[in-house]
Amino acid sequence: MEIEGNRYLPRLIDPSVELHLRAFGAVEITGTMWSGKTWTSRAHGKSRVTFDSKQTRELAEIDVDAVLKGEAPHIIDEWQEVPQVWDAVRNKVDEAGGKRGLFILTGSSRPAKGKTRHTGSGRIARLKMWPMTLSESGHSRKSVSLAGLFEKTFEPGPVETDLEQLAELACRGGWPAAVDLDSEAARIVPAQYLDALFAKEDDKAPGSERELRLFLQSLARNVGSAATLETLAKDMGLDDGGKVSDANTRRVSTFLDYFLGRYVVCDLHGWDAPIKSRSRLRTKPKYGFADPSLPAALLGAGPDTLMGNLQLFGQLFEELCLRDLRVYASTMSQAQLDPLRYYRDADGLEVDVIIELRDGRWGAIEVKLGANKADAGVRNLLRLKNKIAANPAARNPEPSFMLVLVGKTDYQYRTPEGVIVAPITELTA
């Protein structure tokens, strides 16, 4: 498919967009800038208005109905720039008397609280979009399906993996505009993304460009560690002799909320596991990035840096896996809106990813850079399985699958205990 002479790369979200357009009057696609929301909406829409233009924004503020006119599905790009569009679209859907697929809204940030009066429930469906997965960019052989794992489907066998290629993929990221670029050109895209993000005129920004960058750099240094607001404040230098004031803690919280609202930072909540003692669970959110290339760019790390620092490589590899798993899980019909969780308890057991479906099925995933660390992942998964099984009141004591997701391995296989070991470059939805 082509859009204005440019080739459109199919995305895994496409079937969901089509399905929700058949079921609802409007569909909202949200996600970080440059993730491909506009192109995907144009692949499904018939007409379009964008609020990149000041004149268009001013027109919408004066007469919102003027920007709602167009052949359905009518795309309203970056609708949050004029928040009253949301309520206007909701009203148009109500007035249409049951017609479906009238509007597609895209947004790279959440509007300020109180700017919309209605939730849009039953009228506007919500979908979330991330940068491209390895499956979408052509860097996965797609021999292992996440949906298939829930159905007990898996084929073992030899595989080809390359750590240097993975380092390259982590640093260039999943930006659609960079898919056809050479390695050197692709690696400057995330840095330019950050420059554009910080330079964007935004009266809701809680600090200066320097402070915003400093916060994200601090988060990058602590990625995946469930760092506290106090830890981030200290890392930013907002402490006095090691003590952080309540005011500075609140300030760091506003930075975090700001980037969560722009879909740059992602939260990973703890799993409310069906075990005997809920008090033993640790469910404080962990924070990461929408794409592994962002922390890489913030830390000035290229592929050579990662190959020489396996600890950092492992952290960014986990970010890459989380990005892909979010997308793959979101395509499943039984997926929840926020499909990923992690597990941690007072006994020191931690499992990187839990995917629980609406029907109660769940799968557990450990992420390891190399298969030489797979045994540790297998042990963690089996410990978790035994803890869940120890609770006779658990809704679903048996996991649908247990997976150690690795970067480097010569084979994908199933252990005698039933744990699957497979590389991220074989995974798809």
Side-chain angles (χ1 to χ4, degrees):
M1 178 181 183
E2 289 192 351
I3 301 174
E4 294 182 354
N6 296 299
R7 181 169 63 100
Y8 173 68
L9 291 174
R11 304 295 297 272
L12 288 169
I13 199 175
D14 286 331
S16 292
V17 175
E18 285 294 330
L19 176 63
H20 285 80
L21 284 172
R22 297 201 307 270
F24 293 88
V27 173
E28 180 198 25
I29 305 174
T30 61
T32 184
M33 293 190 311
W34 301 9
S35 60
K37 300 182 301 299
T38 297
W39 283 98
T40 292
S41 65
R42 293 180 70 181
H44 298 272
K46 300 294 186 182
S47 60
R48 173 177 174 246
V49 64
T50 177
F51 290 146
D52 288 344
S53 162
K54 180 180 178 182
Q55 184 177 7
T56 306
R57 291 195 299 271
E58 290 175 345
L59 172 63
E61 290 166 353
I62 295 170
D63 180 9
V64 70
D65 286 342
V67 299
L68 302 187
K69 295 176 181 177
E71 184 180 358
H74 180 54
I75 303 163
I76 306 173
D77 214 359
E78 300 296 342
W79 73 268
Q80 79 285 344
E81 297 290 341
V82 185
Q84 57 263 42
V85 163
W86 181 271
D87 292 333
V89 165
R90 178 188 179 276
N91 292 336
K92 287 291 184 183
V93 171
D94 282 344
E95 294 167 3
K99 290 184 179 179
R100 313 295 182 185
L102 301 178
F103 299 97
I104 301 175
L105 293 80
T106 77
S108 297
S109 66
R110 300 170 187 153
K113 290 183 179 180
K115 292 295 185 180
T116 59
R117 294 196 306 273
H118 303 288
T119 64
S121 296
R123 301 159 179 86
I124 306 175
R126 288 181 165 96
L127 298 175
K128 193 176 287 186
M129 197 164 180
W130 289 268
M132 299 181 84
T133 63
L134 299 187
S135 174
E136 291 169 304
S137 64
H139 295 100
S140 170
R141 291 180 62 244
K142 308 179 187 179
S143 69
V144 180
S145 161
L146 182 63
L149 292 177
F150 273 102
E151 300 298 331
K152 314 293 187 183
T153 301
F154 171 73
E155 289 294 330
V159 294
E160 294 184 8
T161 55
D162 185 337
L163 275 186
E164 291 186 357
Q165 183 193 41
L166 275 176
E168 170 69 28
L169 292 171
C171 291
R172 69 183 289 153
W175 309 106
V179 166
D180 296 327
L181 298 180
D182 62 74
S183 298
E184 185 178 13
R187 287 201 297 271
I188 68 173
V189 170
Q192 286 295 310
Y193 170 94
L194 290 165
D195 288 345
L197 177 70
F198 297 134
K200 184 179 177 65
E201 292 184 9
D202 188 351
D203 57 8
K204 296 186 290 292
S208 66
E209 179 179 338
R210 176 185 174 278
E211 290 170 322
L212 295 175
R213 186 181 292 273
L214 190 63
F215 170 79
L216 282 189
Q217 287 173 334
S218 176
L219 192 63
R221 284 190 288 270
N222 291 277
V223 70
S225 66
T228 65
L229 295 175
E230 183 177 358
T231 297
L232 295 174
K234 288 180 180 179
D235 193 68
M236 294 174 66
L238 299 177
D239 63 321
D240 183 9
K243 295 183 179 180
V244 180
S245 67
D246 291 343
N248 278 333
T249 300
R250 289 193 297 270
R251 190 158 186 234
V252 171
S253 179
T254 64
F255 288 136
L256 180 60
D257 289 342
Y258 177 77
F259 287 113
L260 284 168
R262 272 137 194 82
Y263 310 108
V264 178
V265 173
C266 300
D267 49 7
L268 183 66
H269 291 270
W271 184 41
D272 187 17
I275 64 175
K276 288 184 177 180
S277 176
R278 292 182 181 274
S279 64
R280 298 182 64 83
L281 296 178
R282 300 290 186 263
T283 57
K284 183 176 64 176
K286 295 163 65 173
Y287 297 101
F289 290 83
D291 191 271
S293 65
L294 296 177
L298 287 160
L299 299 174
D304 291 341
T305 306
L306 300 190
M307 293 302 294
N309 185 341
L310 293 184
Q311 181 178 357
L312 177 59
F313 193 175
Q315 292 167 340
L316 296 191
F317 175 67
E318 184 171 334
E319 289 292 290
L320 185 153
C321 292
L322 287 170
R323 178 199 67 195
D324 285 14
L325 287 168
R326 283 189 178 99
V327 178
Y328 299 155
S330 69
T331 66
M332 301 180 65
S333 61
Q334 288 291 326
Q336 303 187 57
L337 184 62
D338 186 12
L340 302 194
R341 295 288 188 270
Y342 79 96
Y343 178 90
R344 179 185 290 166
D345 63 27
D347 295 332
L349 175 60
E350 182 169 356
V351 173
D352 294 321
V353 181
I354 304 293
I355 302 175
E356 185 176 25
L357 303 182
R358 296 182 191 274
D359 59 12
R361 288 179 295 160
W362 62 281
I365 302 170
E366 275 277 75
V367 176
K368 302 293 180 184
L369 185 57
N372 60 324
K373 303 290 186 181
D375 287 349
V378 170
R379 289 194 296 271
N380 280 355
L381 293 169
L382 293 175
R383 281 182 64 193
L384 176 61
K385 177 185 177 182
N386 292 335
K387 286 196 172 195
I388 301 298
N391 180 9
R395 294 166 297 164
N396 186 34
E398 287 290 325
S400 296
F401 68 90
M402 295 178 289
L403 168 67
V404 181
L405 197 57
V406 299
K408 178 64 177 175
T409 184
D410 294 327
Y411 295 90
Q412 58 187 28
Y413 58 93
R414 193 192 303 270
T415 71
E417 302 87 357
V419 180
I420 293 167
V421 178
I424 185 65
T425 47
E426 296 291 325
L427 194 63
T428 190

